[in-house]
Amino acid sequence: MLLLRAVAGRRLPPLPLPRRGCSRLPPSSPTAAGRRGAAPVLAALLGLGAVLAYGERRRRGAQAAQATPVPRYPLYTREEVGRHRSPQDRIWVTHGTEVFDVTDFVELHPGGADKVLLAAGGALEPFWALYAVHSQPHVLELLREYKVGELSPEEAPPAPDATRDPFAGDPPRHPGLRVNSQKPFNAEPPAELLAERFLTPNELFFTRNHLPVPAVDPSSYRLRVEGPGGRALSLSLAELRSRFPKHEVTATLQCAGNRRSEMSRVRPVKGLSWDIGAISTARWGGVRLRDVLLDAGFSEEREGEWHVCFEGLDADAAGAPYGASIPYGRAVSPAADVLLAYEMNGEELPRDHGFPLRVVVPGVVGARSVKWLQRVAVSPTESPSHWQRNDYKGFSPCVDWDTVDYTTAPAIQELPVQSAITHPRPGAAVPEGELTVKGYAWSGGGREVVRVDVSLDGGRTWRVARLTGERPVPGRAWAWALWELQAPVTAGAELEIICKAVDGSYNVQPDTVAPIWNLRGVLSNAWHRVHVTVSR
């Protein structure tokens, strides 16, 4: 409330016009006139002082409406908007097709400047989905006073054959993602947002691509299903939807390399330097893989070792597609909930996440959930793909690149128990009083997380965090648990915050990274540690 009164009562100077060459707005622009009174608008935009700000806006709006003609705004591309990500270049965001300059809101944001800057240069929608207080008509009405333009209607990505760059046809991405590589594109959501909402917004779901994103025409798309013991099928998207019942499952996907950066601090490893964000959760909709296989005549039980192999439409320069496989028993199990998904959080699959069809294998490493699926094959051997046979495997710390033999280790399927702290962030200065610690926890194979222990003193004493979310069906805990803990802290203290999760089989995370180090930096699930100081 003190902050609310300070923001609502503060007199601010008029917002400065963007520098020449940044926003291309003339001094007479309606935006320049509309930037006065930033504090009340800020309060409402960010969910505080809404009534005060709205009343002020109505008063000013009524006066301005009599004298101001309807403005015509310049057009911008998303690339141009994306250049405005700092106070020096002005901070722009989009909502729908509109472009806004929110530079002078940033330092006054009650939730911290960092939260606003996460959306800089991109869309507000995925962030507003995390904080429902923004989804009110008067907030958007107030935001429009700070409008500087419209998005150009010509926003389609270039055709893949318009350039020799194989990644030229990749889709646009939200600039709030933390990028680990551009080509192929790999990025994770900001860690501080992971535990803010049970379902991760599609635009902020972590992206793991191994190859260029294929451009798929849904009208001509066909899924091939084949293998010994069944009949071959060729299914269109319409046939998949009409021929098989829709099934939905909420499941967390995690990259094998999540938290790899912590292993690299012990010894160098090969792979993308993921922080704690190579994990996300969505509500997936589609058809059961089991239903499709049974319709093709494959039996529920098979003698010997059998696998179900998946191939994507993403391919390397030699035409070799990304591929992976799972055991046959998991593919046909009614309790495994393996999906051929065409929806993600109630929407059509985004291109980065497998449009028009992908596999979702709950409880299993994300590498097996093949995107842009073109082929399902029942086979007596696992997928011949490089990513099945010669990657995504764990080894002893004593194995190096001179001695590694990928044939000696099984492909990763179910992942070990995992947890991480999303708030506060490492190195933060937190205020004295009550500290809220937040995070996520998850375990592979459908094993429910039954407890998360948190220490504020480096592991000398422990407290039990409160778990949130729905209680899962036993053995089918496909989604993460979010957790939080409140504890008093005193000024001047230096805290080493630790979390560790325990699953329903009483598997618990190891306390340090060194004993689980491996040359590929996978399966990194040691206690997560965050150091912070307590300020006055």
Side-chain angles (χ1 to χ4, degrees):
M1 288 302 296
L2 291 176
L3 180 57
L4 169 59
R5 295 189 186 113
V7 171
R10 179 179 174 187
R11 290 179 59 84
L12 294 179
L15 290 153
L17 284 170
R19 298 176 301 159
R20 183 170 298 175
C22 290
S23 71
R24 305 183 300 194
L25 292 178
S28 60
S29 164
T31 303
R35 286 179 178 165
R36 289 185 291 274
V41 175
L42 168 63
L45 174 63
L46 300 176
L48 293 177
V51 175
L52 292 174
Y54 191 46
E56 174 67 8
R57 189 265 171 209
R58 290 288 299 272
R59 182 184 66 78
R60 290 188 290 110
Q63 296 173 349
Q66 298 177 2
T68 305
V70 177
R72 297 186 65 179
Y73 292 96
L75 299 179
Y76 300 101
T77 65
R78 292 191 188 276
E79 181 181 0
E80 289 176 300
V81 174
R83 296 172 189 159
H84 295 267
R85 301 195 63 193
S86 69
Q88 293 75 26
D89 297 321
R90 309 296 298 178
I91 297 168
W92 288 10
V93 295
T94 66
H95 187 276
T97 62
E98 297 174 296
V99 181
F100 306 92
D101 183 338
V102 297
T103 307
D104 297 86
F105 297 166
V106 173
E107 292 303 324
L108 294 175
H109 184 211
D114 290 346
K115 289 286 177 71
V116 181
L117 290 172
L118 293 172
L124 285 172
E125 284 88 341
F127 296 94
W128 282 17
L130 294 172
Y131 302 102
V133 69
H134 298 96
S135 299
Q136 304 176 54
H138 68 269
V139 175
L140 184 57
E141 189 177 358
L142 287 164
L143 177 64
R144 285 189 176 128
E145 286 198 355
Y146 296 86
K147 181 174 175 178
V148 295
E150 294 271 357
L151 284 174
S152 170
E154 301 174 358
E155 275 297 300
D161 58 355
T163 173
R164 293 183 179 180
D165 182 357
F167 295 93
D170 275 15
R173 283 90 179 203
H174 198 286
L177 289 169
R178 305 283 168 81
V179 179
N180 283 313
S181 73
Q182 284 285 359
K183 300 179 181 182
F185 188 78
N186 290 281
E188 58 192 296
E192 56 268 39
L193 297 183
L194 282 169
E196 295 296 325
R197 189 183 183 202
F198 189 72
L199 298 181
T200 311
N202 290 356
E203 298 91 336
L204 298 177
F205 201 98
F206 90 93
T207 301
R208 177 66 176 106
N209 293 340
H210 297 82
L211 299 160
V213 176
V216 184
D217 179 2
S219 64
S220 60
Y221 170 84
R222 310 291 294 189
L223 172 67
R224 291 183 291 132
V225 182
E226 56 196 34
R231 69 180 187 280
L233 299 178
S234 177
L235 300 167
S236 68
L237 288 173
E239 288 170 329
L240 278 167
R241 289 174 179 268
S242 63
R243 194 157 151 181
F244 304 99
K246 182 179 179 180
H247 183 66
E248 293 186 322
V249 60
T250 301
T252 296
L253 295 184
Q254 181 181 213
C255 179
N258 192 32
R259 299 180 58 193
R260 178 181 282 129
S261 59
E262 295 168 56
M263 280 197 176
S264 67
R265 294 175 202 141
V266 175
R267 274 190 283 160
V269 297
K270 180 181 178 182
L272 297 167
S273 186
W274 295 106
D275 189 25
I276 65 170
I279 183 171
S280 300
T281 299
R283 181 75 174 171
W284 307 95
V287 302
R288 292 179 188 265
L289 174 60
R290 162 190 166 86
D291 292 343
V292 174
L293 292 175
L294 294 181
D295 185 75
F298 295 100
S299 60
E300 290 199 52
E301 295 184 5
R302 287 197 162 209
E303 293 185 4
E305 181 180 350
W306 286 87
H307 305 261
V308 176
C309 304
F310 310 116
E311 285 185 6
L313 286 162
D314 50 333
D316 62 20
Y322 181 85
S325 60
I326 61 174
Y328 184 86
R330 182 181 292 274
V332 297
S333 169
D337 291 321
V338 181
L339 282 188
L340 304 182
Y342 46 74
E343 287 182 0
M344 181 179 180
N345 289 328
E347 300 177 358
E348 184 179 77
L349 277 177
R351 286 188 64 208
D352 258 331
H353 298 291
F355 176 83
L357 193 73
R358 71 169 298 165
V359 184
V360 174
V361 189
V364 166
V365 65
R368 312 304 167 215
S369 291
V370 174
K371 299 186 284 187
W372 312 291
L373 184 66
Q374 67 169 329
R375 179 173 176 261
V376 175
V378 174
S379 170
T381 59
E382 65 178 352
S383 169
S385 167
H386 163 84
W387 291 279
Q388 184 78 24
R389 301 284 183 99
N390 296 304
D391 203 350
Y392 297 123
K393 296 183 177 184
F395 294 94
S396 168
C398 69
V399 175
D400 59 27
W401 289 107
D402 293 324
T403 60
V404 65
D405 181 356
Y406 272 92
T407 65
T408 64
I412 299 170
Q413 294 286 340
E414 296 180 2
L415 287 170
V417 63
Q418 174 73 281
S419 71
I421 299 161
T422 61
H423 177 83
R425 297 299 296 139
V430 301
E432 63 178 331
E434 187 173 76
L435 171 66
T436 298
V437 184
K438 295 182 179 181
Y440 65 76
W442 181 77
S443 191
R447 292 179 290 275
E448 179 184 2
V449 170
V450 297
R451 194 178 80 237
V452 174
D453 299 325
V454 179
S455 174
L456 303 183
D457 55 14
R460 289 188 294 275
T461 62
W462 297 90
R463 305 163 189 255
V464 177
R466 180 176 66 89
L467 302 179
T468 64
E470 298 180 3
R471 188 70 183 267
V473 176
R476 296 164 78 177
W478 307 130
W480 59 17
L482 301 181
W483 57 266
E484 64 178 56
L485 174 83
Q486 283 83 35
V489 294
T490 57
E494 295 188 2
L495 308 179
E496 182 184 7
I497 308 174
I498 298 174
C499 71
K500 61 181 175 73
V502 182
D503 70 19
S505 297
Y506 287 97
N507 298 307
V508 66
Q509 295 171 253
D511 59 345
T512 58
V513 176
I516 60 171
W517 183 94
N518 59 85
L519 75 175
R520 276 290 277 123
V522 294
L523 307 169
S524 182
N525 73 323
W527 296 357
H528 190 222
R529 301 167 186 262
V530 168
H531 294 264
V532 302
T533 58
V534 183
S535 59
R536 295 188 182 277

